[in-house]
Amino acid sequence: MGTEQTLERMRKMRLSGMVQAYLRDSQTEGISELSFEERLALMVDHEWTLRESNRIARLRKKARFRIDAMPEDIDYEHPRGLKRRLFQELLRCDWIRKGYNVLIIGPTGVGKTFLACALGNAACREGLSVKYYRIPTLLRELAIAQGDGQYFELLKTVRKAQLLILDDWGLANLLPAESRDLLEVLEDRAQYHST
């Protein structure tokens, strides 16, 4: 079997990272000095890295973050009273695996949304599913879902996220139906997943 046929089979098996690594390495001077095992390890490593990168990108896209905030972009010097050690502990995401909840409070403009999205991105990097909603958007989607018979399907989608980020809480008083919907979401997730 020739090289092109092998590469084509690898493409059909969706091993595009290994194909990329092979094509890249075949142009690299001195690659033939490596053993078969070393070259294979390089190709598998490239495939693994590509798949992990794609998985994280899919999780981030599904989360629909409002801000593209990354944990490494957090400014601990900003005068908002953020405790570095505590927040770095939160970034490890053990609290999500245990099903605990976190409440980020503070005045307008101190970066609560940024911090919440940074936590969400850290969770995606850990392979955890995340869903971001502004409360008004979630309530509007729930109301629409009730009207078109998709209410329980939307609740199921929200429930499945290992981390649900609810932003812009308390900007306006909730109507009784909105309060019930929000209670339904939170009750559905209680003791199972983090919010």
Side-chain angles (χ1 to χ4, degrees):
M1 178 171 13
T3 302
E4 280 305 316
Q5 190 177 11
T6 300
L7 291 173
E8 187 56 36
R9 285 185 177 179
M10 289 169 69
R11 286 184 187 101
K12 286 182 180 177
M13 290 188 293
R14 298 187 178 159
L15 298 172
S16 58
M18 291 181 74
V19 171
Q20 290 171 4
Y22 175 82
L23 293 172
R24 178 197 65 207
D25 292 347
S26 65
Q27 305 298 319
T28 304
E29 197 172 310
I31 196 75
S32 60
E33 295 171 14
L34 296 176
S35 70
F36 172 77
E37 290 81 10
E38 290 169 322
R39 289 184 72 188
L40 180 62
L42 287 174
M43 289 194 318
V44 170
D45 229 19
H46 191 76
E47 180 70 32
W48 175 266
T49 301
L50 182 65
R51 287 182 184 220
E52 281 298 297
S53 176
N54 289 342
R55 183 176 60 83
I56 292 168
R58 278 191 309 275
L59 287 169
R60 291 182 65 219
K61 184 177 180 180
K62 285 177 93 173
R64 298 183 355 204
F65 295 116
R66 182 175 179 185
I67 298 173
D68 193 27
M70 296 298 166
E72 53 275 7
D73 296 333
I74 296 170
D75 179 7
Y76 292 99
E77 304 305 316
H78 188 280
R80 62 179 149 214
L82 184 63
K83 294 177 175 63
R84 178 187 296 259
R85 187 180 311 228
L86 173 62
F87 206 77
Q88 288 178 339
E89 176 75 24
L90 292 174
L91 289 169
R92 284 196 281 279
C93 300
D94 290 334
W95 62 279
I96 299 171
R97 290 182 194 90
K98 294 176 181 175
Y100 296 159
N101 301 312
V102 168
L103 185 62
I104 302 173
I105 58 172
T108 301
V110 297
K112 296 181 299 293
T113 298
F114 186 92
L115 295 174
C117 289
L119 286 172
N121 272 304
C124 289
R125 289 177 182 177
E126 292 291 319
L128 302 169
S129 60
V130 180
K131 197 74 175 148
Y132 171 92
Y133 278 104
R134 289 183 62 248
I135 292 285
T137 304
L138 176 60
L139 294 173
R140 188 172 40 255
E141 286 186 21
L142 287 167
I144 292 168
Q146 280 181 339
D148 65 13
Q150 297 296 313
Y151 183 75
F152 292 107
E153 193 61 37
L154 179 56
L155 282 179
K156 181 179 170 185
T157 300
V158 172
R159 177 180 49 238
K160 287 189 333 186
Q162 290 168 291
L163 173 61
L164 174 64
I165 299 173
L166 297 175
D167 198 6
D168 291 338
W169 187 295
L171 296 179
N173 292 331
L174 299 177
L175 299 172
E178 293 172 330
S179 295
R180 283 191 299 277
D181 284 341
L182 196 52
L183 175 64
E184 193 67 36
V185 166
L186 295 174
E187 184 67 28
D188 229 13
R189 298 179 53 77
Q191 301 173 2
Y192 299 107
H193 296 299
S194 298
T195 304

